[in-house]
mmCIF file of all heavy atoms in Angstrom:
data_model
loop_
_atom_site.group_PDB
_atom_site.id
_atom_site.type_symbol
_atom_site.label_atom_id
_atom_site.label_comp_id
_atom_site.label_asym_id
_atom_site.label_seq_id
_atom_site.Cartn_x
_atom_site.Cartn_y
_atom_site.Cartn_z
ATOM 1 N N GLY A 217 -3.347 11.377 -33.693
ATOM 2 C CA GLY A 217 -2.512 10.575 -34.574
ATOM 3 C C GLY A 217 -1.992 11.358 -35.766
ATOM 4 O O GLY A 217 -2.636 12.293 -36.248
ATOM 5 N N GLU A 218 -0.831 10.942 -36.247
ATOM 6 C CA GLU A 218 -0.227 11.563 -37.422
ATOM 7 C C GLU A 218 -0.330 10.666 -38.645
ATOM 8 O O GLU A 218 0.081 11.051 -39.739
ATOM 9 C CB GLU A 218 1.240 11.900 -37.142
ATOM 10 C CG GLU A 218 1.404 12.966 -36.080
ATOM 11 C CD GLU A 218 2.845 13.376 -35.884
ATOM 12 O OE1 GLU A 218 3.691 12.488 -35.700
ATOM 13 O OE2 GLU A 218 3.127 14.584 -35.927
ATOM 14 N N ASP A 219 -0.864 9.462 -38.473
ATOM 15 C CA ASP A 219 -1.099 8.559 -39.592
ATOM 16 C C ASP A 219 -2.569 8.613 -39.967
ATOM 17 O O ASP A 219 -3.438 8.834 -39.116
ATOM 18 C CB ASP A 219 -0.727 7.123 -39.222
ATOM 19 C CG ASP A 219 0.772 6.931 -39.116
ATOM 20 O OD1 ASP A 219 1.485 7.288 -40.067
ATOM 21 O OD2 ASP A 219 1.235 6.420 -38.080
ATOM 22 N N LEU A 220 -2.847 8.384 -41.252
ATOM 23 C CA LEU A 220 -4.218 8.276 -41.718
ATOM 24 C C LEU A 220 -4.491 6.824 -42.092
ATOM 25 O O LEU A 220 -3.696 6.196 -42.805
ATOM 26 C CB LEU A 220 -4.465 9.179 -42.927
ATOM 27 C CG LEU A 220 -4.691 10.664 -42.639
ATOM 28 C CD1 LEU A 220 -4.787 11.459 -43.930
ATOM 29 C CD2 LEU A 220 -5.973 10.853 -41.817
ATOM 30 N N ILE A 221 -5.615 6.306 -41.611
ATOM 31 C CA ILE A 221 -5.988 4.922 -41.850
ATOM 32 C C ILE A 221 -7.257 4.889 -42.695
ATOM 33 O O ILE A 221 -8.227 5.583 -42.408
ATOM 34 C CB ILE A 221 -6.245 4.185 -40.526
ATOM 35 C CG1 ILE A 221 -4.996 4.228 -39.649
ATOM 36 C CG2 ILE A 221 -6.667 2.743 -40.784
ATOM 37 C CD1 ILE A 221 -3.775 3.649 -40.289
ATOM 38 N N ALA A 222 -7.228 4.089 -43.743
ATOM 39 C CA ALA A 222 -8.414 3.865 -44.563
ATOM 40 C C ALA A 222 -9.053 2.547 -44.136
ATOM 41 O O ALA A 222 -8.363 1.535 -44.016
ATOM 42 C CB ALA A 222 -8.033 3.810 -46.038
ATOM 43 N N SER A 223 -10.349 2.565 -43.903
ATOM 44 C CA SER A 223 -11.027 1.339 -43.484
ATOM 45 C C SER A 223 -12.442 1.331 -44.030
ATOM 46 O O SER A 223 -12.985 2.365 -44.437
ATOM 47 C CB SER A 223 -11.049 1.224 -41.957
ATOM 48 O OG SER A 223 -11.748 2.327 -41.385
ATOM 49 N N SER A 224 -13.049 0.148 -44.036
ATOM 50 C CA SER A 224 -14.424 0.016 -44.522
ATOM 51 C C SER A 224 -15.146 -1.044 -43.707
ATOM 52 O O SER A 224 -14.532 -1.773 -42.914
ATOM 53 C CB SER A 224 -14.447 -0.360 -46.006
ATOM 54 O OG SER A 224 -14.106 -1.720 -46.173
ATOM 55 N N THR A 225 -16.432 -1.176 -43.951
ATOM 56 C CA THR A 225 -17.248 -2.143 -43.220
ATOM 57 C C THR A 225 -16.904 -3.580 -43.590
ATOM 58 O O THR A 225 -17.302 -4.513 -42.905
ATOM 59 C CB THR A 225 -18.736 -1.891 -43.485
ATOM 60 O OG1 THR A 225 -18.965 -1.888 -44.909
ATOM 61 C CG2 THR A 225 -19.181 -0.554 -42.916
ATOM 62 N N SER A 226 -16.153 -3.768 -44.678
ATOM 63 C CA SER A 226 -15.772 -5.121 -45.098
ATOM 64 C C SER A 226 -14.698 -5.722 -44.201
ATOM 65 O O SER A 226 -14.401 -6.907 -44.283
ATOM 66 C CB SER A 226 -15.240 -5.091 -46.535
ATOM 67 O OG SER A 226 -13.965 -4.478 -46.581
ATOM 68 N N GLY A 227 -14.070 -4.877 -43.362
ATOM 69 C CA GLY A 227 -12.948 -5.321 -42.559
ATOM 70 C C GLY A 227 -11.614 -4.896 -43.130
ATOM 71 O O GLY A 227 -10.566 -5.097 -42.513
ATOM 72 N N TYR A 228 -11.640 -4.290 -44.296
ATOM 73 C CA TYR A 228 -10.406 -3.793 -44.906
ATOM 74 C C TYR A 228 -9.862 -2.621 -44.091
ATOM 75 O O TYR A 228 -10.613 -1.743 -43.671
ATOM 76 C CB TYR A 228 -10.671 -3.329 -46.339
ATOM 77 C CG TYR A 228 -9.476 -2.682 -47.018
ATOM 78 C CD1 TYR A 228 -8.452 -3.459 -47.539
ATOM 79 C CD2 TYR A 228 -9.382 -1.300 -47.123
ATOM 80 C CE1 TYR A 228 -7.359 -2.875 -48.168
ATOM 81 C CE2 TYR A 228 -8.286 -0.699 -47.744
ATOM 82 C CZ TYR A 228 -7.278 -1.501 -48.265
ATOM 83 O OH TYR A 228 -6.197 -0.906 -48.875
ATOM 84 N N ALA A 229 -8.552 -2.617 -43.867
ATOM 85 C CA ALA A 229 -7.911 -1.497 -43.168
ATOM 86 C C ALA A 229 -6.472 -1.404 -43.638
ATOM 87 O O ALA A 229 -5.768 -2.417 -43.719
ATOM 88 C CB ALA A 229 -7.960 -1.688 -41.651
ATOM 89 N N ALA A 230 -6.040 -0.195 -43.971
ATOM 90 C CA ALA A 230 -4.667 -0.004 -44.438
ATOM 91 C C ALA A 230 -4.214 1.408 -44.121
ATOM 92 O O ALA A 230 -5.008 2.355 -44.138
ATOM 93 C CB ALA A 230 -4.565 -0.259 -45.943
ATOM 94 N N ASN A 231 -2.924 1.534 -43.827
ATOM 95 C CA ASN A 231 -2.328 2.858 -43.693
ATOM 96 C C ASN A 231 -2.451 3.569 -45.033
ATOM 97 O O ASN A 231 -2.389 2.949 -46.094
ATOM 98 C CB ASN A 231 -0.856 2.698 -43.302
ATOM 99 C CG ASN A 231 -0.229 4.000 -42.861
ATOM 100 O OD1 ASN A 231 -0.209 4.972 -43.607
ATOM 101 N ND2 ASN A 231 0.304 4.022 -41.658
ATOM 102 N N LEU A 232 -2.611 4.892 -44.984
ATOM 103 C CA LEU A 232 -2.736 5.660 -46.222
ATOM 104 C C LEU A 232 -1.562 5.398 -47.164
ATOM 105 O O LEU A 232 -1.720 5.427 -48.381
ATOM 106 C CB LEU A 232 -2.827 7.157 -45.911
ATOM 107 C CG LEU A 232 -3.126 8.074 -47.108
ATOM 108 C CD1 LEU A 232 -4.501 7.779 -47.692
ATOM 109 C CD2 LEU A 232 -3.025 9.537 -46.698
ATOM 110 N N GLU A 233 -0.381 5.133 -46.609
ATOM 111 C CA GLU A 233 0.789 4.858 -47.445
ATOM 112 C C GLU A 233 0.609 3.599 -48.280
ATOM 113 O O GLU A 233 1.282 3.420 -49.294
ATOM 114 C CB GLU A 233 2.032 4.700 -46.564
ATOM 115 C CG GLU A 233 2.446 5.973 -45.847
ATOM 116 C CD GLU A 233 3.642 5.750 -44.954
ATOM 117 O OE1 GLU A 233 3.882 4.581 -44.566
ATOM 118 O OE2 GLU A 233 4.340 6.725 -44.653
ATOM 119 N N LYS A 234 -0.286 2.711 -47.851
ATOM 120 C CA LYS A 234 -0.463 1.417 -48.511
ATOM 121 C C LYS A 234 -1.860 1.246 -49.106
ATOM 122 O O LYS A 234 -2.080 0.351 -49.932
ATOM 123 C CB LYS A 234 -0.220 0.311 -47.478
ATOM 124 C CG LYS A 234 -0.031 -1.076 -48.041
ATOM 125 C CD LYS A 234 1.339 -1.276 -48.627
ATOM 126 C CE LYS A 234 1.559 -2.733 -49.014
ATOM 127 N NZ LYS A 234 2.887 -2.946 -49.616
ATOM 128 N N ALA A 235 -2.784 2.086 -48.713
ATOM 129 C CA ALA A 235 -4.197 1.874 -49.056
ATOM 130 C C ALA A 235 -4.448 1.970 -50.557
ATOM 131 O O ALA A 235 -3.874 2.796 -51.258
ATOM 132 C CB ALA A 235 -5.066 2.897 -48.324
#
Side-chain angles (χ1 to χ4, degrees):
E218 294 185 309
D219 288 308
L220 281 174
I221 301 303
S223 61
S224 75
T225 54
S226 72
Y228 175 79
N231 192 302
L232 187 64
E233 294 178 338
K234 194 77 172 179

